[in-house]
Amino acid sequence: NPAGTVGVKGSALIASHEEWWAGTRLNHAAFVQSFGEVGSFGLSFTTMSMDKLAVTTEEDPEGSSGLTFDAQDLMLGITYARNLTEDFSVGITAKYIHQRIWNESASGLAIDIGTLYHIGFRDLKLGMSVTNFGGDLTFEGRDLLVDYDARSTTATERLLPAQIQAEGYPLPLQFQVGLSLSPYISDEFSVLVAADVVHPNDNDELVCAGIEATILQRLSLRGGYRFGDDTARWSAGVGASVPAGTLNIGFDYAYVDYDLLPSVHRFGIAVAF
């Protein structure tokens, strides 16, 4: 939710890394700078990549040719958010998306729009967002170039250079609404509970719920569960906040359990200054 960046006071830099399945990995980095009443500006970068695999064909199912291929998804985003009132904020992220599989690639633009309302009772917050709102993507590349025989019945007809037109595909549009509440807050110990309802256009609706307990505003213990997800189940994590001069450095780790797939470990670091 881009509206949440108004919560940054000053500057903040975050980065995270996740090792997924079959040699795939997800990396994310973002920087946010607050300019007071003017609003907050942010830059974000996300990439999903994989290890190289051998190229196989019907004639060479073992991939003995020595050729390899890989795939990568890339997102670059620019965010702006500001408070419209003391308790209500809005934000928007404009994104450039690039997807590549071997020699073929597709690019496009999309936006994320979000709102965040501070209700006030026990730090109750209501957030809503729409992500990946944009046009279809279409793959292009040299492997789609072909020689076309316009008149196959004429033996002397010259072949014409042509390109296979790949069918476009939509981005995974997603609507999400969530609530968070702090039933207990003190300098020594605080509790935060949160729940999100996620409605994607290409999958079933699911509910994500979690709880966080923070000790002395420095150490956080977290747990969560996904209801309606076909693979992900429960998750657990820990976070630590360490002051270092004018900096405040946060370290985060999460363990996500999956039903039919290997578990996933997530690592993150955040620096506020």
Side-chain angles (χ1 to χ4, degrees):
N1 188 339
T5 58
V6 298
V8 174
K9 308 302 179 184
S11 305
L13 176 66
I14 65 170
S16 63
H17 172 77
E18 301 177 39
E19 289 287 338
W20 286 74
W21 315 287
T24 58
R25 62 195 63 86
L26 180 66
N27 293 292
H28 173 75
F31 173 77
V32 176
Q33 175 66 54
S34 174
F35 292 94
E37 295 183 357
V38 175
S40 299
F41 293 85
L43 298 173
S44 55
F45 168 83
T46 303
T47 178
M48 188 171 188
S49 58
M50 58 172 282
D51 295 335
K52 289 184 178 295
L53 298 176
V55 174
T56 61
T57 64
E58 292 182 357
E59 294 77 17
D60 183 20
E62 301 299 327
S64 58
S65 65
L67 295 176
T68 60
F69 78 98
D70 65 350
Q72 183 184 58
D73 287 357
L74 171 70
M75 187 282 293
L76 299 174
I78 301 177
T79 298
Y80 172 69
R82 64 167 298 176
N83 287 312
L84 296 184
T85 69
E86 184 178 346
D87 299 319
F88 183 73
S89 61
V90 297
I92 184 171
T93 297
K95 304 190 297 186
Y96 167 76
I97 299 171
H98 180 79
Q99 296 187 313
R100 178 182 58 81
I101 301 177
W102 199 11
N103 300 315
E104 278 58 62
S105 63
S107 301
L109 300 175
I111 61 172
D112 300 341
I113 303 174
T115 62
L116 186 63
Y117 179 49
H118 293 251
I119 299 175
F121 173 75
R122 296 191 180 277
D123 200 29
L124 180 63
K125 300 183 182 70
L126 170 65
M128 292 181 287
S129 66
V130 178
T131 56
N132 293 327
F133 183 77
D136 293 353
L137 303 186
T138 303
F139 274 101
E140 297 178 344
R142 70 187 191 195
D143 293 327
L144 299 177
L145 300 177
V146 296
D147 292 326
Y148 177 64
D149 188 353
R151 297 180 180 178
S152 58
T153 58
T154 304
T156 59
E157 181 71 22
R158 296 184 59 185
L159 296 178
L160 301 176
Q163 179 173 331
I164 298 174
Q165 180 64 50
E167 183 177 356
Y169 59 96
L171 292 170
L173 184 68
Q174 179 172 285
F175 175 75
Q176 188 167 341
V177 58
L179 283 169
S180 69
L181 172 70
S182 298
Y184 183 83
I185 303 176
S186 72
D187 293 338
E188 292 78 22
F189 183 77
S190 60
V191 177
L192 173 71
V193 293
D196 287 325
V197 178
V198 184
H199 182 77
N201 70 341
D202 59 352
N203 209 331
D204 295 332
E205 192 171 80
L206 69 148
V207 177
C208 306
I211 184 170
E212 176 188 72
T214 302
I215 304 170
L216 299 176
Q217 301 182 27
R218 296 300 178 194
L219 179 64
S220 298
L221 304 176
R222 307 179 180 113
Y225 193 87
R226 289 191 177 192
F227 300 89
D229 197 295
D230 56 352
T231 54
R233 293 294 181 263
W234 60 270
S235 60
V238 61
S241 179
V242 180
T246 60
L247 304 179
N248 191 62
I249 304 175
F251 302 92
D252 295 287
Y253 165 77
Y255 172 90
V256 184
D257 179 72
Y258 285 83
D259 185 24
L260 302 174
L261 297 167
S263 302
V264 171
H265 303 271
R266 298 175 179 172
F267 302 90
I269 184 171
V271 181
F273 51 95

